[in-house]
Amino acid sequence: MSTNASLIARRSAAIPEGLSRHLDIYIDRAENAELWDVEGRRYIDFAAGIAVNNTGHRHPKVVERVRKQLDRVVHTSFQTTPYEDYVEVCERLNAIVPGDFPKKSLLVSTGAEANENAVKIARAATGRSAFVAFSGGFHGRTLMAMSLTGKTVPYKAGFGPLVPDVFHMPFPIAYHGVSEDDSLKALERLFASEVDPSRVAGIVIEPVQGEGGFYPAPFGFLRKLREIATRHGILLIADEIQTGFARTGRMFAMEHAGVAADIVTMAKGLGGGFPIAAITGRADVMDKIPMGGLGGTFAGNPLSCAAALAVLDVIAEENLMDKAKQIEARLRATFDQWKAGTEFGCVGDVRSLGAMVAIEFVTSRETRQPWPELAKALTKAAGQNGLILLSCGVHGNVVRILTPLTIALSLVDEGITIMEKSLHQAISTLGG
Ligand SMILES: Cc1ncc(COP(=O)(O)O)c(C=O)c1O
């Protein structure tokens, strides 16, 4: 029988080092918000496969629908011989993505691929080439998605030259002294000094920066961006890949601001664990690419479409948007105490939008100096104590909580208890 240790050794020999290695726990099976490793140890899941298992691991309705699909057809390639579920996923996305205008959708397989297609569509629709994105943003690992990403190490360093005509501006983060106004002024400067707005095809933004550190964009800022984009004929592109599908307490995070983007990219939570991604946008924009300009062999695979239809049902039937807010409240009740108290002076900031909850660790609350070593030690200790936790942030000093939205609240409490114990251990490991 395989053990974690034997698999670590086999991995080192077989798989390149560039694939990051977070925890040395090899998973054997999973159910809703719990995982078991190959040695039978149980873990509570506060990561949800990086915001994928919003509907939990192997939700019975997702499994049932996929199983039925397995018995009918597994792959044809939609471009050659289409099938109904692809059409239905698109119809349902057109109905739920914000925006009171006709929409069309395209299905692909990954988040990066969704962003690549959003760029192609925006360029074809506007006849312009430039894009504005944000420092700290993350949009994927393919060449264009990597160029839009606003973090060099490990995502861009060594992989250049990047795609030209991508400009980054500061994301408004009050905790780090960047106000909405600072950001908007930087955009004005960018338009005046680097790229005329008449050359800009799209502004690409995550409504809550995910990998960058779980920073929600202020709602007023999103509304201003909408105005600026409209004024200059620029398409506003919302990357809802991490924030979508009930994660933030609404179906999509942009809804909190009452803003409709021209193009929305989605992935992760849509498939309930099956690989599927989507681009939904204004019908007139989406139709600008001539036939054959879009597609992909596996894009909108029948199993993934079946899963997505079940996921959309489960989100509605189980009221997962409300559940996201309950999870948020449960986590914040403890984390806010940590932030207010003196026991954990390393807790610099606590923030959330729905069930996207984060703690930013600092060496001192006064200097706000990032403490990435603590975030790393905490996620490691938590893993040893039976809790899967992820870090994030441009400096790697943020611990993010992304539970399945189907998690029992009692399990959230159990996870918090493990986090507290692990935080004490991590601090003492670092000599704090
Ligand atoms: C906001 C955002 N965009 C894009 C991506 C890339 O998605 P994928 O890994 O499916 O290519 C991610 C993945 O973490 C993401 O969080």
Side-chain angles (χ1 to χ4, degrees), residues 210-232:
E211 304 300 305
F214 273 34
Y215 299 103
F219 302 152
F221 180 76
L222 291 173
R223 290 193 280 269
K224 287 261 171 53
L225 275 190
R226 175 68 277 178
E227 275 169 40
I228 293 166
T230 305
R231 189 165 0 114
H232 294 292

Side-chain angles (χ1 to χ4, degrees), residues 188-406:
E188 266 175 37
R189 276 199 302 276
L190 193 69
F191 284 166
S193 64
E194 302 288 331
V195 57
D196 189 81
S198 65
R199 283 217 311 109
V200 178
I203 299 176
V204 184
I205 186 164
E206 292 163 89
V208 182
Q209 280 198 333
E211 304 300 305
F214 273 34
Y215 299 103
F219 302 152
F221 180 76
L222 291 173
R223 290 193 280 269
K224 287 261 171 53
L225 275 190
R226 175 68 277 178
E227 275 169 40
I228 293 166
T230 305
R231 189 165 0 114
H232 294 292
I234 297 170
L235 298 175
L236 185 62
I237 302 174
D239 179 338
E240 293 257 17
I241 287 164
Q242 191 155 159
T243 49
F245 303 102
R247 173 57 56 189
T248 68
R250 307 291 287 264
M251 193 55 122
F252 297 101
M254 294 293 271
E255 291 173 43
H256 292 277
V259 170
D262 301 296
I263 298 178
V264 178
T265 55
M266 297 152 271
K268 293 191 183 273
L270 174 59
F274 288 82
I276 184 165
I279 306 100
T280 299
R282 289 182 177 277
D284 55 336
V285 167
M286 298 292 286
D287 274 335
K288 281 282 162 33
I289 293 203
M291 190 167 285
L294 300 171
T297 306
F298 290 113
N301 169 272
L303 296 179
S304 297
C305 286
L309 292 173
V311 162
L312 294 173
D313 288 345
V314 168
I315 290 173
E317 286 162 14
E318 300 187 15
N319 226 339
L320 293 185
M321 289 177 256
D322 280 350
K323 182 69 181 302
K325 293 180 207 149
Q326 291 168 33
I327 294 166
E328 175 186 31
R330 209 67 163 220
L331 292 163
R332 295 267 335 213
T334 302
F335 296 170
D336 285 340
Q337 271 179 22
W338 292 354
K339 185 184 161 190
T342 51
E343 187 184 10
F344 293 125
C346 54
V347 173
D349 193 30
V350 173
R351 49 184 175 264
S352 57
L353 190 63
M356 253 180 120
V357 182
I359 301 179
E360 180 151 350
F361 289 104
V362 291
T363 54
S364 122
R365 283 180 181 152
E366 286 68 44
T367 62
R368 300 184 178 180
Q369 180 72 29
W371 196 359
E373 297 80 10
L374 181 61
K376 200 165 179 202
L378 169 58
T379 54
K380 190 164 174 228
Q384 282 159 358
N385 292 324
L387 176 71
I388 310 291
L389 266 187
L390 294 174
S391 61
C392 64
V394 172
H395 303 290
N397 66 321
V398 178
V399 166
R400 55 174 152 172
I401 320 291
L402 288 163
T403 70
L405 303 178
T406 46

Side-chain angles (χ1 to χ4, degrees), residues 130-141:
F131 286 87
V132 173
F134 289 83
S135 49
F138 182 80
H139 300 288
R141 293 169 182 275

Side-chain angles (χ1 to χ4, degrees), residues 79 106-108 111-131 142-145 148 163 166 201-202 204 235 237 263 265 279 284-297 299:
Q79 293 110 291
L106 169 76
L107 302 182
V108 289
E113 202 186 351
N115 285 330
E116 293 284 336
N117 278 281
V119 163
K120 280 167 62 173
I121 293 165
R123 281 188 168 162
T126 60
R128 305 173 179 188
S129 62
F131 286 87
T142 51
L143 192 54
M144 184 68 204
L148 290 170
V163 178
V166 175
V204 184
L235 298 175
I237 302 174
I263 298 178
T265 55
I279 306 100
D284 55 336
V285 167
M286 298 292 286
D287 274 335
K288 281 282 162 33
I289 293 203
M291 190 167 285
L294 300 171
T297 306

